[in-house]
Amino acid sequence: MPSFHQPGFIERFAEKLHLIPNLHEELGAELPRLTEPGALTDYPPPEKWDDWVEYEAKRWPRREPKHYMIVPTICFNCEAGCGLLSYIEKETLQVRKFEGNPYHPGSRGRNCAKGPATINQINDTDRILYPMKREGGRGEGRWARVTWDSVLDDIAGRIRKALQEKRNNEVVYHVGRPGHEGYMDRILQSWGVDGHNSHTNICSSGARFGYALWQTYDRPSPDHANASFILLISAHLEAGHYFNPHAQRIIEGMMNGAKLAVMDTRLSNTASMADYWMPTYPGSEAAVLLAMAKIIITEGMYNEAYLREWVNWRQYLAHARPNDEATFDNFILALKDEYKDFTPEFAEKESGLPAQTIIEVARQIGRAGTRFSTHNWRSAGSGNLGGWAVARCLHFLNVLTGSVGTVGGTSPSAWNKFKPNVPNKAPAQKFWNELHFPNEYPLAHYEMSFLLPHFLKEGRGKLDVYFTRVFNPVWTYPDGFSWIEALSDESKVGLHIALTPTWSETAYFADYVLPMGHAGERHDLVSYETHSGLWIGFRQPVLREAKRRMGQSVQFTYEANPGEVWEEDEFWIELSWRIDPDGSLGIKKHFISPYRPDEKIAIDEYYRYIFEHTAGLPEKAAQHGLTPLEYMRKFGAFEVEETSYNKHLRAISTADLQGAQTDASTGLITKNGKALGVMVNGKACEGFPTPSRKQEFFSQTMIDWGWPEYKIPTYLKSHIHHENIDRSKGEFPLIPTFRLPTLIHSRSGNAKWLYEISNRNPIWMHTSDAARLGVTTGDLLRVNTDIGYFVDRVWVTEGIKPGVVACSHHLGRWRRPQDAPGNRWATSLVEIKQVSSEQSSVSSDTQAQSTIHGPRSTIHDPRSTIHGHQWRMRTLDGIRPFKSKDADSSRIFWSDGGVHQNITFPVHPDPISGMHCWHQKVRIEKAHAEDRYGDVMVDTAKSFAIYQEWLKLTRPAPGPNGLRRPLWFNRPVRPVEERFYLNS
Ligand code: SF4
C-alpha cells in the first residue's frame, strides 16, 4: 500500500494557485503517512500550524476569523493512542477543540468519539484543579487545598522511611490507565521496590495467557487491512482496545474483499457489520475453534511448511506418542486423534451455533491461509473460568494456516510495539512482592490485583504508601465494597494517594487527591500494535508547548495547565529527588541529566534522550531542519517501521553464534545454557522467545507446573457452563464484559458529549426469555449474584442469544452527599449504608447460591453462609441539570446514569492465568415491592468466602527447582532472577 499521497495534475495545479493547501512541494513527500487520498483530506498543512485561521463557528453567519496554534498530542481515552491535534486560540490561549492528526501512522487522522471529547474533559467544571488533602476520617469527604511542595515532602519522607527500614514491599503503585512506555518501571526500579500493580488481571490477562503459552508474546497484532478472512472473538473494538485503528483497517480489508466473522453472544455494532455473526453460548468459544481446527486438519487445509518448521511437534510426539516415529505424518495423525471429539456437532451442542456455519467458516479460514487475521481481547477470554483457552485455540487456527507474522495474518504484539532506550536505567529490584504474585498463582499472567483487599484481610501484608494512578477499583473492579473496607482501614493502607484527572469512587477514600492531566496536559511516550508497523506517539502538554513556541519559559507543566493540574512524569522526578536528597539511597543517580552533569533531569531532556536514540528519527528530523525532540513536538508521531512482518526469521549474527550449540533433532540453538534461536532450513533464526524457540503447541511448562491435562490447546468448561445453570430457578449467565462504544472506563464521567450519547445500562434479554418471565422493556428486575443483587431495568431485544443476559459495565457512576461534586454529567447521588444481616433483604435462597461449579471442583455448602458486612446502596437522586460556567450543564436532559453492577460480583480468580472470570451466574426475578431502580446489596463476608473457595482450585508453587514462576515467563517489572526462587 503506498504510504504517500501522489497528487494528480489538477491537484498540483490547484496547489500552485493556492486554491488548496500545498501538502506536497513545501513539505516534501518524505513526511509521514498522510491519510488516504480523497477530496476531504483537508487537514491544515503543518507549515501553517503556528497560525491557522478558521472562522468562529459560534459567530455564523458572520465571518469572524480566529487564529489558532495547532499542537499535536495523543488521545488518552483508550489504549490505541490515536493522534490528536489541539487547536489553541492564540488570543486567549484556550484549547478550543481536538481533531485527528493525519501524521499519526496508527490513526491516520481519524478518531472515535472519545478523541474529540477530550475537550469536554479539559473544560469539565467539576474537575480537580489543585492538590487536595483529606481532613477528618478517610472517606468523610472533607478536603483542603495544599501545595505541591508540601505534598512532595510528606510523601517523600514516608517512602524514604519505608526504604530505610527495608519495608520496600509496602510501597506500591497501582495503575489503571497505563500508557507511558516503561516510565514507571524505571521509577519503581530506581526505588528498589517490587511495587508495580496493574489492572490487567481484570482486563486482558486471560487472552494474554493463552497467547503467551504459544509464543511468549501475549497479544495479537492483526493485519486486517491485508487479510482475506477476519475472525474476531467478541466486539473487541467496542470492548476496549484499538477501536479506531482496527476499525478503519477492517473496513479497508472488507472493501478489498475480506470476509468478517464475529463470535459474540451479543449483536454488537461490530457483529452487525459482519458477514458471519456467531452468537456462541458464553464460554463455548474454544469448543467452536477446535471444531474449526479439526476441519482444517482433516480436510488437509493446513500449512504444512509452517507446521513442519515452526511448531514444536517433535517434543509433543516424544512426550505423548513415544512409541511413534517422530515424523510429521505421525504428528498429523496424532492431531486427528487428539481432536476427534471436537466435531461440528459437539461444538453446536456446546455453543448453539449451527454445525454447518462452523464448517463454512472453517473452510473460509482454511482458504484464507496466510491472510487470516484474528483478534481476541476481553469478553470470552476475560469472562470464563479457563477463558485463556479461547485465545490459545484461536491462535491454533493462525498456526494451522501459517498466518503468524504474515501479510494479512496476525503478528505477535511486540513486533509492532516500540521499546524506548531511556537514560540512567535502574537495575532490577531485589524484592518479590507476594501481595502481587502470591505462591498460589505461579502462572498468573499479571498481578493478582483484584484479590488485594482479601490478601490484606488475611494479614498477608500491608501497604504503607499506596499510589492509585488513573485507577478506580471501587467502581471498576468486582467486589467494590471489599475495596471500600480495605481503603477505609488505615492499619491496612497507611497513606493512599490518588493520582487522577477526575474525582472517582476510589479517590473519595484517599488521603491525597492529586490532579493529573488529560491528553493535552501531560507527557507520555506511547506505541501500540495497531497494525503491521511500528510507531511512536508523543503525548504532550499542549499549552506548555504553545508557550514554548511563543518564547515563554515554563519550569513545570502545572504552570501551563489549568489550575495546578500536573503530570506524573515530572511528579515522579521531583518525588524521587526528595526521597533521596543526599544520594545515600542510590536513587538520585537515576535522575541526573544525561546532558548536564550532577543536575536534575528535566522532562525535555528525558524525551530528548529517547528521541535521539530512536532508529531513523534523528535523520528524519534533520530533513526538516529540526532536532528529534523538535520533530516530535511538531508532528506528534514517528513511523519507525512501515511494516513489520516475519521477524522470527531474523538471522542470528555470526558474532552471537560464536560458542553456541545446536541440538540436532530440534534445531534449538543454545549458548551458556540459554536458548538463542533455532536452526530452520539451514538458517540460524531468532525464532520466538519460548523454550523451544518455536510456536509451542505442546507445553512442557503446563506439565511441570501441575496442569498436564492442558499440555496442548483444549477446551475447558466455564463456571457458567450449561450444566451449572438451573433454568427452573430463573438462573442465567450474565455477560458484563462489554461496553457501549462511546464510553471510557472511569473517565467518561466528565465528558458531556459521551454521556449525552450513552447514559444507561439496562439488562439485555431476548424476547423469548422476556415472554417466559412475563416482562417487557422498562420493567424492574432484581439480578441476584452470589454475594447480593442489583436492581435494573430490562431491555427486551433480539440482539442477544436466548438464555443469556448482558449488561454494559461502564455506567452506574455514583457520589455520596458528602463527596465533592464530581462528574455530575454521569453520577447519581447515592446513600451507602452498612446494614445488619437481619435488615438485609439478601434472601436465604440467594445466600444458598454462593456456589462455584468448576470443571474440577464443585463446592456447594449453604451451611457455610456467613453473615457479616452487608452493604446497601440506594439512589437518592439521578442526574440533574446544574449551574456552572458551562451553559450545557443546565441543559442536561437525561436523569438515568445506569446501575453499578460490578460491585455485586464476587472475585473469580482463574487458578491458572489469574484472570478474574467476569461472567456471573445470576438468578433473575421481578423486583420486590421494596426494590428501587439502582438498588445494590452486597455481603462482603460472602465475597471473602467465595474468594477462599476459588483459592482452593489453585496448584501452588514451587515448580521445578523451587521456582515461584517459570523463568521464561514474562513478568511486569521483572525482579532479579534469584528472586524467582522461593527460598532465595
Ligand atoms: S480509539 Fe481510543 S485512542 Fe483512538 S480516539 Fe478513540 S479513545 Fe482515543
Side-chain angles (χ1 to χ4, degrees), residues 74-84 107 110-116 118 237 240-245 539 739 741 743-744:
I74 300 291
C75 182
F76 193 39
N77 286 337
C78 90
E79 201 170 342
C82 297
L84 293 174
S107 56
R110 306 164 205 177
N111 299 101
C112 79
K114 292 178 277 189
T118 301
L237 300 174
H241 292 264
Y242 314 128
F243 184 179
N244 159 56
R539 191 175 288 134
R739 70 170 160 199
L743 294 176
I744 312 161

Side-chain angles (χ1 to χ4, degrees), residues 83-96:
L84 293 174
L85 295 180
S86 66
Y87 286 64
I88 300 166
E89 193 179 318
K90 291 172 80 170
E91 193 183 338
T92 60
L93 266 193
Q94 297 281 312
V95 184
R96 292 292 304 276

Side-chain angles (χ1 to χ4, degrees), residues 646-716:
N646 290 319
K647 290 192 174 180
H648 60 300
L649 297 177
R650 284 183 299 210
I652 305 173
S653 71
T654 314
D656 284 343
L657 283 172
Q658 293 287 328
Q661 288 89 43
T662 303
D663 184 285
S665 82
T666 63
L668 182 67
I669 304 168
T670 54
K671 189 171 173 181
N672 302 326
K674 303 228 160 152
L676 185 66
V678 65
M679 193 65 78
V680 170
N681 289 333
K683 182 180 163 192
C685 303
E686 281 183 18
F688 300 91
T690 55
S692 64
R693 287 273 153 175
K694 295 191 175 185
Q695 292 281 325
E696 299 226 328
F697 166 75
F698 166 73
S699 175
Q700 183 65 44
T701 303
M702 291 300 272
I703 296 170
D704 291 345
W705 290 79
W707 302 95
E709 62 270 49
Y710 305 130
K711 63 180 180 292
I712 61 171
T714 190
Y715 166 55
L716 286 76

